[in-house]
């Protein structure tokens, strides 16, 4: 007790310094990995990074020997949802500070050190975010689009977490409200659920994009159809927050995305989640999955009743085709030089935070991206998407948000699961 008190008295006089040594660095820029590296972290930020032989350990610094390990930046998920899910139920009534923070802790434990909650957030998010940005968070950093936009009585149901709009005047008022809360992004849903529900009309999407632009905000769109993607890119959308899934993307869309610098986020795990539970997937017994999921939830998604309910959906047979289309389109866009961000749409029921980001990387690799492309998309590129200058890569001046791995993820992307430690702002998070 007394020692702690003395430490607290003198601690402010000294910077908190850590030196990580001996690891192979994958820095998130896309540059090849470098062996035998070291990194000095002062008060949570990277002060220097280079060959171990060149990095001195200052007196009083904490030295961490990572010989034989691999270090990559923390994963940035550009499409998640926090706060509104409890077990397999979803609703605004679950949205509390405690629930948001519990989920940000889960993300962090899987190496996801930043998450963008895309369009289903309520008041508690703003305080959490603002407190994080004023200090050194010990949970995943959160960005928010506040409440996103759907058509009146449209898809998905507003559920108290989205704005329902009918006129351009509605759009202007709601965008102004979001701007006053300093949201990081604006989200719109443009989908009719295979013709079953009301879709946000293009005039309203245009109004939202224009209003957002006036407030200096960018718009990410949930899309499904190629035609909607084309119209939205013409209207000035910043990102497609899901893959085009009705058909293969054509050259006209590719050219327009390229010209306007529009980002693509694939969310392959969202697609697989629509049918995989009917196939008794082995991951439901994988300790890497079950460590963060209650046994009640695992038992439910394994149950015949749950599977029967999935299969009762008349569109169920189509869902595997949407995944394969999403993968083909991801590969085609990546090959064309379109900017690829990283996202999963995790958070809603049965779309498991943390585990899904790990799985998404594997699915992106199975779509034909190299492990380096996948890692760069999930780190440096996604920071660039957010215009977040101090995260995403492991370079001087950035926050030390990183993952220590025991195996090389460039040899097998599944090695991103061999997590030994996760650091956020230079502190190892509890796992
Ligand atoms: Zn989503």
């Amino acid at each position: 007790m007394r020692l702690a008190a003395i430490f607290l008295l003198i601690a402010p006089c000294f910077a908190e310094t850590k030196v990580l040594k001996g690891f192979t660095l994958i820095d998130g820029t896309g540059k090849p990995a470098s062996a035998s590296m070291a990194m000095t972290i002062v008060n949570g930020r990277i002060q220097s990074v280079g060959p171990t032989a060149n990095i001195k350990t200052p007196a009083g610094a904490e030295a961490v020997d990572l010989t034989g390990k691999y270090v990559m930046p923390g994963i940035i998920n550009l499409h998640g949802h926090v706060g509104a899910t409890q077990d397999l139920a979803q609703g605004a009534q679950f949205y509390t500070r405690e629930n948001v923070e519990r989920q940000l802790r889960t993300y962090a434990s899987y190496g996801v050190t930043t998450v963008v909650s895309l369009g289903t957030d309520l008041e508690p998010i703003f305080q959490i975010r603002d407190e994080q940005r004023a200090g050194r968070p010990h949970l995943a950093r959160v960005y928010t689009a506040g409440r996103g936009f759907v058509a009146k009585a449209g898809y998905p149901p507003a559920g108290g977490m989205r704005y329902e709009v009918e006129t351009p005047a509605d759009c202007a008022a709601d965008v102004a409200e979001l701007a006053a809360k300093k949201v990081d992004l604006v989200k719109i849903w443009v989908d009719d659920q295979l013709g079953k529900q009301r879709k946000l009309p293009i005039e309203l999407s245009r109004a939202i994009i224009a209003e957002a632009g006036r407030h200096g905000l960018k718009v990410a769109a949930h899309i499904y159809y190629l035609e909607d993607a084309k119209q939205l890119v013409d209207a000035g959308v910043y990102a497609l927050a899901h893959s085009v899934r009705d058909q293969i993307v054509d050259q006209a869309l590719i050219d327009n995305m390229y010209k306007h610098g529009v980002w693509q986020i694939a969310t392959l795990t969202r697609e697989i989640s629509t049918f995989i539970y009917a196939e008794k997937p082995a991951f439901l017994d994988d300790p890497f999955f079950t460590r963060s999921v209650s046994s009640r939830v695992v038992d439910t998604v394994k149950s015949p009743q749950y599977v029967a309910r999935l299969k009762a959906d008349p569109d169920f047979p189509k869902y595997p085709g949407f995944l394969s289309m999403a993968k083909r389109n991801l590969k085609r866009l990546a090959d064309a030089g379109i900017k690829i961000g990283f996202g999963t749409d995790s958070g809603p029921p049965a779309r498991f935070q943390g585990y899904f980001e790990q799985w998404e990387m594997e699915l992106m690799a199975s779509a034909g991206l190299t492990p380096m492309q996948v890692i760069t998309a999930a780190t440096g590129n996604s920071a660039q998407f957010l215009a977040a200058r101090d995260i995403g890569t492991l370079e001087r001046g950035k926050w030390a948000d990183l993952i220590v791995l025991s195996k090389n993820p460039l040899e097998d992307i599944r090695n991103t699961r061999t997590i030994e430690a996760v650091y956020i702002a230079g502190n190892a998070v509890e796992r």
Side-chain angles (χ1 to χ4, degrees):
M1 202 65 192
R2 187 170 299 166
L3 268 178
I6 292 168
F7 178 76
L8 282 174
L9 275 174
I10 61 172
C13 310
F14 299 96
E16 174 210 289
T17 305
K18 290 188 177 109
V19 182
L20 315 184
K21 283 184 172 181
F23 55 86
T24 296
L25 174 69
I26 299 159
D27 71 3
T29 66
K31 269 195 316 212
S34 335
S36 301
M37 297 291 278
M39 178 187 295
T40 311
I41 302 167
V42 179
N43 296 334
R45 286 186 187 266
I46 299 170
Q47 191 187 56
S48 57
V49 56
T52 295
N54 300 352
I55 302 278
K56 291 203 183 82
T57 302
E62 179 193 341
V64 183
D65 181 9
L66 296 180
T67 305
K69 313 295 183 197
Y70 297 81
V71 170
M72 63 173 273
I75 296 158
I76 298 174
N77 177 19
L78 297 175
H79 188 162
H81 296 275
V82 295
T85 298
Q86 191 140 9
D87 287 347
L88 292 168
Q90 187 175 30
Q93 70 273 23
F94 302 122
Y95 205 103
T96 60
R97 182 182 179 112
E98 292 67 34
N99 204 26
V100 171
E101 291 190 332
R102 184 177 60 77
Q103 295 179 1
L104 294 176
R105 189 170 297 117
T106 301
Y107 274 122
S109 74
Y110 282 91
V112 181
T113 55
T114 298
V115 58
V116 180
S117 188
L118 207 52
T120 50
D121 286 320
L122 299 177
E123 284 313 303
I125 200 76
F126 297 103
Q127 194 186 352
I128 295 168
R129 179 193 66 174
D130 295 349
E131 285 172 14
Q132 285 189 345
R133 289 188 190 170
R136 285 171 63 184
H138 58 285
L139 309 172
R141 299 175 193 277
V142 73
Y143 285 66
T144 179
R147 294 162 65 189
F149 288 85
V150 295
K152 186 127 184 122
Y155 171 78
M161 297 180 290
R162 302 173 182 89
Y163 293 112
E164 287 186 300
V165 285
E166 215 169 8
T167 66
D170 294 342
C171 300
D174 296 336
V175 170
E177 184 172 280
L178 290 174
K181 294 176 192 297
K182 299 189 164 45
V183 292
D184 300 294
L185 207 65
V186 171
K187 166 76 176 287
I188 58 177
W189 273 267
V190 182
D191 196 349
D192 66 4
Q193 277 289 79
L194 303 173
K196 294 182 297 230
Q197 300 194 45
R198 272 195 80 199
K199 180 163 76 176
L200 189 68
I202 185 66
E203 303 77 48
L204 296 185
S205 292
R206 285 197 192 107
I208 293 164
I209 293 168
E211 283 301 322
R214 257 170 234 137
H215 292 282
L217 291 166
K218 295 161 177 166
V219 178
H222 167 118
I223 49 100
Y224 169 81
Y225 299 101
L226 175 64
E227 280 313 312
D228 289 330
K230 286 181 165 178
Q231 289 193 317
L232 289 164
V233 169
D234 279 335
V237 83
Y238 182 64
L240 304 179
H242 296 287
S243 302
V244 168
R245 287 158 282 167
D246 64 324
Q247 52 184 305
I248 200 80
V249 292
D250 63 11
Q251 198 59 42
L253 177 72
I254 292 171
D255 290 347
N256 232 4
M257 287 181 78
Y258 193 87
K259 184 171 147 203
H260 297 290
V262 175
W263 289 82
Q264 178 67 59
I265 302 167
T267 68
L268 303 175
T269 35
R270 184 226 169 266
E271 296 315 311
I272 206 166
S273 76
T274 58
F275 63 88
I276 197 69
Y277 300 110
E279 299 176 6
K280 295 192 179 11
F283 79 85
L284 294 177
D285 295 312
D286 178 355
F288 188 67
F289 171 75
T290 56
R291 60 186 281 274
S292 68
V293 181
S294 78
S295 55
R296 191 173 56 236
V297 168
V298 177
D299 290 345
T300 302
V301 298
K302 281 179 173 174
S303 68
Q305 296 87 333
Y306 187 85
V307 171
R309 202 155 52 82
L310 286 180
K311 289 186 170 171
D313 175 352
D315 291 316
F316 179 81
K318 300 176 185 165
Y319 295 153
F322 298 164
L323 172 65
S324 43
M325 186 63 76
K327 284 168 119 181
R328 285 171 65 195
N329 282 337
L330 170 63
K331 173 67 173 156
R332 191 159 150 78
L333 292 167
D335 286 350
I338 300 303
K339 297 192 280 190
I340 306 296
F342 179 81
T344 55
D345 206 3
S346 62
R351 304 216 294 259
F352 298 97
Q353 294 157 330
Y355 185 83
F356 266 39
E357 283 67 34
Q358 291 285 335
W359 196 9
E360 184 79 24
M361 292 193 283
E362 181 185 355
L363 291 174
M364 289 170 79
S366 76
L369 276 62
T370 65
M372 184 60 97
Q373 276 181 298
V374 173
I375 290 170
T376 308
T379 59
N381 288 6
S382 288
Q384 195 197 334
F385 175 109
L386 291 172
R389 283 198 208 96
D390 50 8
I391 57 172
T393 60
L394 298 176
E395 299 174 290
R396 185 183 158 85
K398 309 266 177 172
W399 286 116
D401 289 6
L402 57 88
I403 315 174
V404 179
L405 302 171
S406 51
K407 291 187 182 165
N408 186 354
L410 299 175
E411 276 171 13
D412 178 351
I413 194 66
R414 282 179 60 97
N415 287 341
T416 57
R417 301 177 183 207
T418 62
I419 301 173
E420 300 214 347
V422 178
Y423 286 73
I424 296 178
N427 291 319
V429 302
E430 278 175 49
R431 300 184 60 242

